[in-house]
């Protein structure tokens, strides 16, 4: 029988070789350049590779790198997925605060930085140590970031806790809006959770500016942890004091509608972008299919002085999951919590696919406004949709017949 060498030197040699291979593969992934591949109808460009995945997380988050305590170099704390990031350009740096989900199903926040907003994303050494409230969160996720005019960077996120009214139902949970603020994205001050008239809240976003001297929130009132129920769509409410956040009244900004991309529910994505044409909003809409829920992203615009009043609402979706984006832990989902409007008008849209990975798409403020202002609204009926399309066809045929060029 062949003798197996189990000496310390041999074990160290095998450990080192495996570690070098892991480090080389990880560095190749982080250094991989990304390139646009089109496919956005001229409105935006998708990029070939995901911007962030579970494999982008540092090896020292997942492995015990001490050969004395982990001689086989086994993964100790696995990472299942990286998705649904908030995004901000802060002090000249392109940053995402991603939702990192461990193999244990617990989510946490971590900052990834890129030199150009597209590729080269690397996580900071430590995840965010988010302070807890007096009633600890069981899970936190899906942070929206905003640099508010009061000078703070705010993160508004979903905080999930077990529903105390159903102690024996292990699927019963309560979702609310957690709020924290920071100057440097390292040290965070936790504020009380937002209080609203709704039993549950998801997809809450802080408006970047004060409105009439008050803080403003986009909300998504809902009856259950998953189901919107009687929740009418994306809400709007005002708050007097961000350190004691309470919204007493909610009005619907963008309503759900039957047989549309937002029939089952919809929610604000990141904070809106101020433009000359109004507040530019990115949101998600959900409809039911025989294969389950389908999430897509869409745009709308609200008035600069009255951000609760919609001025343009192009019909249909802007981004839907395609190809590998349709496959993951929760399939057929495109979801966004973050985008960055750069100084030159470039817009980086960060969206997750199927609760698994993060993608980047690029556009511009001008293109997105053009799309929002000149794409007709959803006509809500098949006959009206045909009439709408025929009008476009007739205009194009008449233009061609008139001797273009």
């Amino acid at each position: 029988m062949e003798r197996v060498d189990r000496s310390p030197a041999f074990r160290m040699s095998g450990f080192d070789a495996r570690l070098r291979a892991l480090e080389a593969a990880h560095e190749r992934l982080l250094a991989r350049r990304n390139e646009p591949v089109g496919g956005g109808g001229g409105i935006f460009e998708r990029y070939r590779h995901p911007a962030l995945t579970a494999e982008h997380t540092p090896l020292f988050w997942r492995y015990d790198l001490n050969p004395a305590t982990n001689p086989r170099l086994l993964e100790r704390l696995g990472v299942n997925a990286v998705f649904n990031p908030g995004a901000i350009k802060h002090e000249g740096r392109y940053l995402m605060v991603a939702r990192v989900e461990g193999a244990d199903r617990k989510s946490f926040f971590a900052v990834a930085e890129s030199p150009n907003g597209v590729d080269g994303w690397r996580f900071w050494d430590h995840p965010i140590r988010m302070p807890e409230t007096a009633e600890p969160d069981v899970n936190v996720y899906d942070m929206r970031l905003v640099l508010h005019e009061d000078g703070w960077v705010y993160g508004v996120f979903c905080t999930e806790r077990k529903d105390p009214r159903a102690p024996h139902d292990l699927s019963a949970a309560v979702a609310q809006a957690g709020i924290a603020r920071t100057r440097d994205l390292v040290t965070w001050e936790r504020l009380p959770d937002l209080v609203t008239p709704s039993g549950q809240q998801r997809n809450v976003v802080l408006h970047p500016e004060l409105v009439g001297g008050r803080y403003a929130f986009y909300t998504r009132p809902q009856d259950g942890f998953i189901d919107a129920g009687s929740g009418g769509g994306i809400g709007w409410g005002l708050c007097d004091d961000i350190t004691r956040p309470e919204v007493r009244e909610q009005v619907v900004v963008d309503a759900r509608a039957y047989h549309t991309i937002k029939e089952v529910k919809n929610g604000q994505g990141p904070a809106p972008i101020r433009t000359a044409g109004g507040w530019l909003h990115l949101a998600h809409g959900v409809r039911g299919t025989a294969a389950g829920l389908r999430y897509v992203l869409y745009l709308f615009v609200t008035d600069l002085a009255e951000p609760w009043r919609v001025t343009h609402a192009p019909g249909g979706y802007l981004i839907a999951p395609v190809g590998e984006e349709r496959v993951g832990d929760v399939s057929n989902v495109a979801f966004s919590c973050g985008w960055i409007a750069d100084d030159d008008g470039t817009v980086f849209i960060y969206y997750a696919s199927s609760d698994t990975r993060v993608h980047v798409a690029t556009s511009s403020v001008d293109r997105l406004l053009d799309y929002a202002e000149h794409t007709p609204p959803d006509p809500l009926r098949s006959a009206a949709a045909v009439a709408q399309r025929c009008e476009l066809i007739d205009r194009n045929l008449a233009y061609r017949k008139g001797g273009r060029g």
Side-chain angles (χ1 to χ4, degrees):
M1 178 182 292
E2 182 182 0
R3 184 180 175 190
V4 178
D5 188 345
R6 293 187 173 87
S7 67
F10 178 84
R11 290 200 301 273
M12 180 66 78
S13 151
F15 181 97
D16 288 344
R18 175 161 159 71
L19 180 57
R20 285 195 299 271
L22 285 171
E23 290 175 335
H26 192 246
E27 183 57 32
R28 284 194 301 271
L29 175 66
L30 300 189
R32 181 177 64 186
R33 299 296 92 188
N34 220 340
E35 58 183 359
V37 293
I43 308 163
F44 64 90
E45 291 80 37
R46 275 183 162 91
Y47 279 72
R48 183 172 305 281
H49 304 296
L52 286 176
T53 67
E55 287 71 33
H56 282 76
T57 57
L59 295 175
F60 53 84
W61 287 14
R62 296 179 271 144
Y63 291 85
D64 176 356
L65 300 180
N66 185 342
T69 52
N70 190 18
R72 295 182 177 84
L73 194 52
L74 305 181
E75 190 175 65
R76 296 301 194 206
L77 292 174
V79 172
N80 179 62
V82 174
F83 57 115
N84 294 4
I88 193 170
K89 190 174 182 183
H90 186 58
E91 298 179 346
R93 299 179 295 175
Y94 298 91
L95 306 175
M96 281 195 272
V97 174
R99 172 182 179 177
V100 180
E101 184 183 82
D104 59 5
R105 199 187 167 194
K106 306 302 180 294
S107 294
F108 56 88
F109 300 120
V111 181
E113 181 173 342
S114 163
N116 56 24
V118 169
D119 51 27
W121 293 96
R122 293 174 184 266
F123 280 99
W124 291 0
D125 280 355
H126 292 89
I128 291 172
R129 294 179 180 269
M130 181 59 65
E132 295 181 312
T133 62
E135 185 183 2
D137 321 279
V138 172
N139 208 25
V140 291
Y141 46 89
D142 299 359
M143 181 183 288
R144 275 77 166 182
L145 287 169
V146 61
L147 175 57
H148 197 272
E149 71 166 304
D150 72 2
W152 285 94
V153 174
Y154 287 90
V156 183
F157 52 91
C158 185
T159 169
E160 176 188 327
R161 302 177 179 93
K162 177 75 180 68
D163 190 343
R165 297 164 300 181
H168 302 297
D169 182 355
L170 296 185
S171 66
V174 175
Q176 295 294 346
I179 305 173
R181 62 185 181 182
T182 183
R183 302 289 189 186
D184 56 10
L185 280 82
V186 176
T187 303
W188 294 75
E189 176 190 358
R190 183 74 180 265
L191 302 178
D193 296 346
L194 181 66
V195 176
T196 73
S198 304
Q200 305 230 18
Q201 281 285 359
R202 279 184 185 271
N203 305 298
V204 174
V205 181
L206 179 64
H207 189 66
E209 298 179 2
L210 296 172
V211 177
R214 305 169 76 187
Y215 291 87
F217 287 93
Y218 300 94
T219 64
R220 209 275 294 286
Q222 58 188 74
D223 295 340
F225 180 67
I226 299 295
D227 297 327
S230 60
I234 297 173
W236 166 267
L238 298 175
C239 161
D240 295 323
D241 182 355
I242 195 69
T243 65
R244 291 179 292 180
E246 181 176 4
V247 168
R248 296 183 180 180
E249 253 185 278
Q250 298 173 97
V251 298
V252 174
V253 172
D254 183 48
R256 296 159 53 197
Y258 169 70
H259 210 84
T260 64
I261 60 168
K262 51 185 179 178
E263 176 180 279
V264 172
K265 51 189 173 182
N266 59 330
Q268 179 78 17
I273 297 170
R274 173 183 267 277
T275 75
W279 289 104
L280 188 62
H281 295 255
L282 182 64
H284 66 267
V286 186
R287 70 179 178 93
T289 75
L293 298 179
R294 173 173 166 85
Y295 282 67
V296 297
L297 301 175
Y298 67 96
L299 283 184
F300 65 95
V301 180
T302 60
D303 184 78
L304 280 179
E306 300 176 327
W308 60 89
R309 183 171 63 83
V310 175
T311 58
H312 298 91
Y317 59 76
L318 173 70
I319 297 177
V322 297
E324 72 167 1
E325 297 175 0
R326 297 187 66 248
V327 179
D329 276 5
V330 183
S331 297
N332 212 9
V333 171
F335 191 92
S336 179
C337 300
W339 59 1
I340 293 172
D342 221 337
D343 296 337
D344 63 357
T346 300
V347 177
F348 300 87
I349 302 171
Y350 302 103
Y351 67 98
S353 68
S354 300
D355 283 13
T356 299
R357 60 194 80 80
V358 179
H359 305 268
V360 59
T362 54
S363 186
S364 68
V365 168
D366 288 344
R367 272 196 286 169
L368 294 176
L369 276 178
D370 186 345
Y371 163 79
E373 292 173 352
H374 298 104
T375 301
D378 190 323
L380 302 179
R381 303 183 342 270
S382 291
V386 171
Q388 193 179 69
R389 197 170 297 270
C390 285
E391 181 185 353
L392 175 63
I393 292 168
D394 290 342
R395 286 203 317 266
N396 283 331
L397 293 178
Y399 176 62
R400 284 188 170 185
K401 187 176 180 181
R404 180 186 63 179

